[in-house]
Amino acid sequence: MKHAQKPDHVSLGTLLQRIREGQYVIPDFQREFEWKPSDIRELMASIFQDYFIGSLLLWRGTKENFSNLSCEPIYGQSGEGTPVQIVLDGQQRLTAMNYAFHAPQMPPPSRSNRFVFSIDVERFMAGDFENAFRQDWGENWCERILTDSVLQYGNHWFPLAIIGKGGFEIFKWAEGYEEYWSKREGEDELASAHAENGIKFIEQVRELIEQYQISYVELDRDLPIDKVCDIFTQINSKGVRLDAFDLLNALLKPKDIQLKHLYREVADRLSFAEAERMNIYVLQVMSILVQEYCSPKYLYYLVPGVARTFRDADGKRRDEVLVVDEKDFETRWNAAVTALEKAQSLLRHPQEFGVTSPRFLPYPSILPAFAAINSRISALPGERQLQARRKLNHWYWASIFTNRYSSSVETRSTRDFIDLNTWFDDDAAAPVVIADFNNQFRHLDLEKETRSSSSIYRAIFNLFVIGGARDWLSGTFPGANEIDDHHIVPAAWGKANGLGKLIDTVLNRAPLSSETNRHWINDKLPNSYLPKLMESSGEQAVRANLETHFISTQAFDILLRDPFTKEDFEAFIAERKRTILGAIENLLVKERLDLSPSLRELDQEIEATELRLREIVAAAIDTNDLIMPEHIAAKVRDRIQKERRKGLLTVSDENISTIEELQYCDLRELEDLIVSKPTWPIFACRFDSKEQLIARFAQLAELRNAIRHTRSVSQLAQKDGEAALMWFQSKIKVHA
């Protein structure tokens, strides 16, 4: 549709005539008129000073659209006119102009009195625009201002309603004003100047009415409503937010679905996140689960009976109704509400995601994708859910630490929903964000994370909670409402020592109870309050409590230095950064978050053993100029090509080292490399018995796979695996 959007402009006089004739109507989804009288007065001042007041967005209506959108006349009008255009953006400005220029006999919203607006001619002509525009209130007083010409002329008040009447009314007023002051030339020495100013003023008014242009964009009457939805939701006007929820509410009314009422019924269930757009999030979860997409134009297809056009793989188009009827809509609505409720509950869990308070939720905007993906996991067969949830966790943290949901939220939500479902079916199809996170987390600039509203700052606090951060005084876990975001080294000391914002870094913060923060620590340095804590609770207990905040033994010792200097502070945050990044790697990147401490330690030892085995095998291959067996080499090449297609590997085949190639071998393939006929003679002196080596590999692999896949280990498998681990460590001299 070539002319779907047509930019144009209209003179002030023509615009006011169209308002008077009722050509502009307001769809039900728009907010009420919310401007205060002072806002109206400021708009008038802008117009009369020839300032740009923004463009309007209008949609040339049809009888069907006027009805479907439950359009109403502009506030203050009778509704007797003939509607022509639906106002998508500009309601507040058009209504303000109607109120100022047409002076309806009703008060503005939230006011008990009627207002009228006028211009002080003398002040206007003197250039005193700040005081030239008047607003008066009170029914009787307003009526006098509008009807008593002597009052108008004597006080130099020009009611703007005179312009709204159109025709020759402004010239009649000008003649009356000139005549009034001409008769007083002997009584008032400024009378002739007043009369002359009146003539000049009206000439300016006439020029303004004819020449002042208001720009607008008109959408074609035949533009599909889904495209109108998309355009509409991108607009803001004078701080009055327009959103898809209001639009859907209007479109669903003819279907006897009261969307606002439905949301009011469930709002308390979804209140934890304190997200302003939660009503939109419910619709987005519905849409993702129904059609994978959730941008504003796709929400239109949630209206019962509305068909969406799909293009099949063979290029043929087909229409499909996604939501059949009102009952189907409410069923899907309830499912979306439940999905969001469960998502918030999961995020709040202190051992899962650690969002114990709304102020520590990194990204409210990730909720629709998270809720929809979590809901889809619940529909998987039971035996597949554990692995899927591990992938959900990895994706969540990767998205948070890469700031993925800071922009293009609807697009990313759709992409991630599709990619995660693919990953659930294919372990090799991990979304790119996973590799981005795994490769980039070491470069997180945590020193610059000083704003508590930052997603990464909040994620670090979530990590404190997950790590079991205990209060330093009581040794307990502070409740959500008891937590203070506390400076470890006080802010006042940092400012006095010229540290600027660095003192506010998340590396210098800890979640403590308000009691500990305000009454025990306050503005003291750690070398003052930590010895007192150790005296009352014991050094070992205090050190253990601080370790739950990722404050290592080395960092603890730095905090005790006396005198404590700027260099000591920098050493402390460097050490704590190292510890926190290690926790991110251990708990999130290597997915050990849901393991018990003993299994977590075992997994680390197994990883160190695997790494050392790869180094030994790589050295043997390079030193003896050996060739990797083809059945293993083929698998390695295939895995490398997959990484390269994803853009995760840029090294060419010619330049890739042996140790890099072996990163793509699993534990049993390393075993094959060692025990194969050409290579065993090289390793025999290290491992002695091939049969024993094969047995130990089997025990280690069983333990490794149990930890990383089923997340639980039988007592026998753990004992055998630990024995194999000790055997390997003795053979390859590895120390985890």
Side-chain angles (χ1 to χ4, degrees):
M1 191 174 293
K2 280 177 84 173
H3 304 295
Q5 300 180 32
K6 184 179 70 174
D8 208 338
H9 53 80
V10 61
S11 70
L12 177 62
T14 302
L15 183 78
L16 294 178
Q17 181 181 342
R18 291 177 181 176
I19 292 175
R20 188 167 59 248
E21 293 172 352
Q23 292 192 27
Y24 301 118
V25 289
I26 310 299
D28 181 74
F29 58 76
Q30 285 272 28
R31 308 290 190 187
E32 299 294 334
F33 178 54
E34 297 179 356
W35 277 17
K36 296 178 289 189
S38 57
D39 296 322
I40 300 174
R41 189 183 69 242
E42 288 175 12
L43 179 67
M44 296 304 105
S46 296
I47 291 172
F48 276 83
Q49 292 177 81
D50 200 25
Y51 293 163
F52 178 65
I53 61 168
S55 296
L56 309 174
L57 181 64
L58 310 171
W59 185 18
R60 183 163 286 273
T62 63
K63 187 175 181 180
E64 181 183 6
N65 289 339
F66 292 139
S67 174
N68 286 344
L69 297 179
S70 304
C71 294
E72 298 177 350
I74 285 176
Y75 181 85
Q77 288 197 319
S78 65
E80 295 176 358
T82 302
V84 176
Q85 292 169 313
I86 298 170
V87 180
L88 296 180
D89 184 39
Q91 176 211 4
Q92 304 293 319
R93 284 164 288 163
L94 287 175
T95 307
M97 283 190 267
N98 178 60
Y99 202 89
F101 289 113
H102 294 136
Q105 291 185 316
M106 60 193 305
S110 304
R111 300 282 175 152
S112 57
N113 288 305
R114 179 188 184 189
F115 278 71
V116 294
F117 297 85
S118 55
I119 297 176
D120 186 312
V121 176
E122 286 298 297
R123 288 180 173 176
F124 184 88
M125 296 307 294
D128 183 10
F129 301 121
E130 187 174 342
N131 298 303
F133 296 88
R134 296 176 51 83
Q135 61 184 56
D136 291 275
W137 61 93
E139 182 60 40
N140 294 334
W141 180 234
C142 287
E143 194 61 28
R144 275 200 65 193
I145 291 174
L146 292 173
T147 59
D148 188 340
S149 58
V150 173
L151 178 69
Q152 297 168 11
Y153 302 153
N155 289 285
H156 313 290
W157 295 343
F158 174 75
L160 294 179
I162 293 171
I163 296 176
K165 291 179 181 178
F168 295 98
E169 293 299 319
I170 63 168
F171 300 109
K172 290 179 183 177
W173 189 90
E175 290 173 2
Y177 184 81
E178 182 184 11
E179 182 180 349
Y180 176 89
W181 285 108
S182 295
K183 288 179 178 179
R184 284 160 177 73
E185 287 185 2
E187 305 169 13
D188 188 332
E189 59 183 16
L190 295 176
S192 61
H194 293 330
E196 187 176 345
N197 270 346
I199 295 170
K200 292 178 180 177
F201 171 74
I202 289 301
E203 181 58 25
Q204 287 192 34
V205 171
R206 183 192 64 77
E207 288 181 1
L208 182 82
I209 293 170
E210 294 176 357
Q211 297 178 21
Y212 184 81
Q213 301 290 315
I214 295 97
S215 61
Y216 67 90
V217 173
E218 183 183 63
L219 304 181
D220 189 272
R221 72 172 72 235
D222 296 323
L223 193 66
I225 197 167
D226 61 318
K227 294 190 183 300
V228 174
C229 295
D230 201 31
I231 295 168
F232 165 74
T233 51
Q234 320 254 342
I235 299 164
N236 285 276
S237 175
K238 192 70 176 180
V240 180
R241 186 173 180 81
L242 310 176
D243 62 40
F245 186 86
D246 297 298
L247 178 58
L248 262 292
N249 181 58
L251 293 172
L252 290 167
K253 276 187 177 180
K255 307 289 184 180
D256 200 28
I257 297 174
Q258 302 296 323
L259 194 59
K260 288 184 179 179
H261 179 70
L262 285 176
Y263 182 69
R264 280 195 292 268
E265 287 183 332
V266 301
D268 287 345
R269 293 168 56 190
L270 305 177
S271 60
F272 170 75
E274 296 182 357
E276 291 181 0
R277 287 171 53 80
M278 187 58 73
N279 54 0
I280 297 291
Y281 292 165
V282 180
L283 294 172
Q284 288 180 334
V285 174
M286 279 182 72
S287 188
I288 292 172
L289 293 175
V290 170
Q291 58 184 330
E292 296 179 339
Y293 296 89
C294 65
S295 63
K297 68 177 181 180
Y298 287 100
L299 298 185
Y300 169 62
Y301 300 112
L302 298 178
V303 176
V306 172
R308 179 184 160 196
T309 301
F310 291 86
R311 188 189 294 272
D312 293 328
D314 59 5
K316 291 182 179 178
R317 293 175 178 268
R318 60 181 173 85
D319 290 341
E320 181 180 341
V321 173
L322 303 180
V323 180
V324 179
D325 53 25
E326 293 79 0
K327 185 178 180 181
D328 189 21
F329 180 91
E330 292 197 16
T331 299
R332 295 180 185 278
W333 167 270
N334 291 332
V337 169
T338 300
L340 278 165
E341 187 176 28
K342 288 182 177 179
Q344 291 186 69
S345 178
L346 185 57
L347 289 171
R348 294 174 69 177
H349 196 290
Q351 276 80 52
E352 290 284 351
F353 296 94
V355 185
T356 54
S357 168
R359 62 193 171 114
F360 297 128
L361 177 61
Y363 273 128
S365 57
I366 203 174
L367 281 171
F370 185 88
I373 295 165
N374 187 54
S375 176
R376 186 55 58 89
I377 290 174
S378 299
L380 292 173
E383 66 273 13
R384 294 183 56 199
Q385 290 189 18
L386 179 63
Q387 283 299 310
R389 292 202 181 281
R390 288 182 61 200
K391 291 172 180 178
L392 169 68
N393 289 11
H394 203 156
W395 161 81
Y396 173 84
W397 291 111
S399 298
I400 298 302
F401 279 106
T402 58
N403 287 309
R404 182 167 173 78
Y405 277 76
S406 60
S407 62
S408 305
V409 172
E410 289 92 354
T411 302
R412 296 190 192 284
S413 297
T414 294
R415 184 74 266 154
D416 288 349
F417 180 77
I418 294 170
D419 286 351
L420 264 290
N421 278 285
T422 302
W423 192 21
F424 295 158
D425 294 332
D426 180 2
D427 288 342
V432 173
V433 69
I434 302 298
D436 287 345
F437 171 50
N438 295 352
N439 295 331
Q440 297 172 15
F441 79 94
R442 284 281 174 195
H443 304 295
L444 286 170
D445 200 353
L446 298 181
E447 293 87 347
K448 292 183 179 178
E449 293 297 334
T450 58
R451 293 182 301 107
S452 61
S453 59
S454 154
S455 63
I456 292 178
Y457 185 107
R458 293 179 176 186
I460 296 298
F461 258 72
N462 299 159
L463 205 58
F464 292 155
V465 173
I466 293 168
R470 294 178 176 271
D471 185 66
W472 297 354
L473 185 60
S474 67
T476 59
F477 303 108
N481 297 324
E482 300 172 348
I483 291 178
D484 260 12
D485 180 358
H486 170 65
H487 284 79
I488 297 170
V489 177
W493 180 90
K495 290 173 183 175
N497 284 271
L499 289 172
K501 289 187 176 181
L502 185 61
I503 195 67
D504 298 322
T505 173
V506 72
L507 298 171
N508 186 39
R509 311 298 282 242
L512 301 174
S513 70
S514 55
E515 176 71 18
T516 300
N517 182 11
R518 296 171 191 170
H519 302 299
W520 187 270
I521 295 175
N522 207 348
D523 280 336
K524 302 182 187 75
L525 277 169
N527 60 17
S528 171
Y529 64 74
L530 286 178
K532 292 180 181 178
L533 285 172
M534 289 189 287
E535 186 179 335
S536 63
S537 303
E539 181 175 346
Q540 185 176 353
V542 174
R543 284 183 179 272
N545 278 346
L546 266 69
E547 281 180 3
T548 65
H549 293 254
F550 304 114
I551 296 174
S552 66
T553 298
Q554 295 93 319
F556 188 96
D557 291 338
I558 294 170
L559 290 176
L560 289 175
R561 291 176 184 172
D562 191 7
F564 188 81
T565 66
K566 181 178 178 181
E567 290 70 28
D568 294 327
F569 176 79
E570 291 169 350
F572 164 68
I573 63 171
E575 171 59 20
R576 197 174 189 218
K577 179 180 180 179
R578 184 193 67 78
T579 308
I580 289 174
L581 291 179
I584 291 174
E585 179 176 33
N586 187 31
L587 299 177
L588 309 182
V589 174
K590 294 182 177 175
E591 302 182 83
R592 293 175 177 139
L593 184 60
D594 56 344
L595 294 175
S596 65
S598 60
L599 289 184
R600 199 177 290 167
E601 186 176 341
L602 267 178
D603 194 45
Q604 288 176 286
E605 289 190 57
I606 293 169
E607 181 183 41
T609 299
E610 283 189 67
L611 178 61
R612 181 64 184 137
L613 279 171
R614 285 187 173 88
E615 290 172 349
I616 290 170
V617 173
I621 290 174
D622 290 340
T623 302
N624 297 279
D625 199 24
L626 299 174
I627 298 175
M628 190 181 296
E630 180 54 30
H631 71 285
I632 297 176
K635 292 179 182 178
V636 168
R637 285 196 300 271
D638 183 56
R639 292 165 190 161
I640 288 174
Q641 288 307 315
K642 284 183 179 178
E643 293 285 282
R644 187 168 282 129
R645 283 195 295 272
K646 292 179 182 178
L648 304 177
L649 184 67
T650 56
V651 181
S652 65
D653 289 339
E654 296 77 20
N655 295 323
I656 195 166
S657 65
T658 305
I659 188 65
E660 286 173 321
E661 283 186 312
L662 292 179
Q663 298 303 317
Y664 296 93
C665 289
D666 63 25
L667 192 61
R668 302 315 293 263
E669 287 163 353
L670 283 177
E671 175 190 344
D672 285 350
L673 280 171
I674 294 171
V675 301
S676 65
K677 201 168 188 179
T679 56
W680 174 246
I682 299 170
F683 297 107
C685 60
R686 180 186 291 271
F687 296 109
D688 301 328
S689 164
K690 182 185 290 190
E691 290 72 23
Q692 187 175 23
L693 176 66
I694 292 171
R696 294 302 188 187
F697 259 118
Q699 292 169 328
L700 187 64
E702 183 179 358
L703 176 61
R704 178 190 183 278
N705 292 336
I707 291 174
R708 298 189 185 178
H709 298 295
T710 65
R711 315 305 274 178
S712 62
V713 183
S714 70
Q715 190 173 8
L716 180 61
Q718 184 167 338
K719 293 295 183 185
D720 284 346
E722 287 173 343
L725 194 58
M726 291 176 63
W727 184 84
F728 272 110
Q729 288 171 347
S730 70
K731 298 297 182 183
I732 60 179
K733 300 291 187 285
V734 66
H735 301 285

